[in-house]
Amino acid sequence: MEVVGDASGSEPGEIRALKPCLLRRNHSREQHGVAASCLEELRSKACDILAIDKSLAPVTLVLAEDGTIVDDDDYFLCLPSNTKFVALARNEKWAYHNSDGGTAWISQESFDVDETDSGAGLKWKNVARQLKEDLSSIILLSEDDLQVLIDVPCSDLAQELCQSCVTVRGLQNTLQQVLDQREEARQSKQLLELYLQALEKEGSVLSKQQESKAGFSDESDAVDTGLSRERSSETALTSQLLTALKEKPAPELSLSSQDLELVTKEDPKALAVALKWDIKKTETVQQACNQELSLRLQQIQSLHSLRNISARKNSLPGELQNPKRAKQDPTEYS
């Protein structure tokens, strides 16, 4: 197996060591040796060597052993040489490779459905690693991820986070509070929607007739163009995400921030076709997802600001422990 590598990713005059890595596609046994000085260079070589269509970008690199996403250069440089990576094209999901001689490939979705021990273990460990890097990422987690960490035995989570059981127990209580707050917000929103629906029912008969006529004209127009729009409009969202949007009340509260961003960026017409909704309802849900995403990002920024302020305050006492003594005037005591 030939190792291909160069230092083209480095800046002029800068010499960076090349890290040997192993690359393969999802659901494939064939591996390719590659040497790269940074993560971006590895992504670029993955597209070339594995013949990944540029239209399927961006390419995501994950660890072959557990599906951990590698999206940071510092983390990449800390990995040992000959680390095995799986290159995932857009919308692809990491697949677990069973090397014990049994079933060769088991998709990650089957792990979630069957809830096997190894699949659940990989999921909660990946989420725990996010918290270990930054506790404020609690705000960005989906309700499913929050529940996974709450259900993990305290001792196992403490070992993964390198914290005491007392600290982790407090963390799990915090996760439960975040989950409860989202449920309270969902119930409040449902009550508000019921109230608005009651107000609409009290509207005049004339306005209802006008709406029904407008709806009939829209439907007649859709007879000619509906099929072509449905065929031409495609959405990049997963079936699981579309199901959450259709079935869950106030879905923006149950989704992760990454899923919220995908929903907000989706074309409203394509999303409406995929959900079989009218465009107005689709845009309303997208707006709610955008507002929830903005709120979470504002909370993250607030937490980081508080951390910086706290760090500065903690440094002040150390600076004032040995204040410089003022020089005395030699004529003061004369």
Side-chain angles (χ1 to χ4, degrees), residues 52-66:
I52 300 176
D53 192 342
K54 298 295 184 182
S55 63
L56 299 179
V59 172
T60 302
L61 295 176
V62 302
L63 298 181
E65 59 180 2
D66 59 8

Side-chain angles (χ1 to χ4, degrees), residues 249-322:
E252 70 276 4
L253 298 175
S254 63
L255 299 178
S256 68
S257 297
Q258 184 178 5
D259 289 339
L260 290 174
E261 187 174 0
L262 290 175
V263 174
T264 56
K265 290 182 178 180
E266 189 60 55
D267 179 65
K269 294 182 179 179
L271 185 57
V273 171
L275 295 173
K276 298 180 180 179
W277 287 351
D278 58 76
I279 192 67
K280 183 178 180 181
K281 183 177 180 180
T282 304
E283 290 177 343
T284 300
V285 170
Q286 283 187 305
Q287 185 178 5
C289 290
N290 188 39
Q291 291 175 350
E292 177 65 19
L293 180 61
S294 299
L295 177 60
R296 294 186 190 181
L297 294 178
Q298 289 175 4
Q299 291 173 340
I300 290 290
Q301 292 175 355
S302 299
L303 285 174
H304 288 171
S305 298
L306 289 174
R307 283 181 183 176
N308 294 333
I309 294 174
S310 177
R312 288 197 296 269
K313 286 184 177 180
N314 291 335
S315 65
L316 287 177
E319 296 175 357
L320 298 177
Q321 285 177 357
N322 299 312

Side-chain angles (χ1 to χ4, degrees), residues 67 72 99 148 167 191 193 240 251 267 273 281 301 303 313:
D72 182 76
S99 59
V148 164
T167 302
L191 289 175
E193 289 177 350
Q240 183 179 2
D267 179 65
V273 171
K281 183 177 180 180
Q301 292 175 355
L303 285 174
K313 286 184 177 180

Side-chain angles (χ1 to χ4, degrees), residues 1 33 59 68 92 118 124 137 140 165 210 212 286:
M1 182 168 53
V59 172
T68 300
E92 282 188 351
S118 56
W124 78 259
S137 62
L140 306 178
C165 286
Q210 291 175 347
S212 62
Q286 283 187 305

Side-chain angles (χ1 to χ4, degrees), residues 100-111:
D100 60 359
T103 304
W105 295 97
I106 305 175
S107 68
Q108 184 64 26
E109 289 181 348
S110 66
F111 275 92

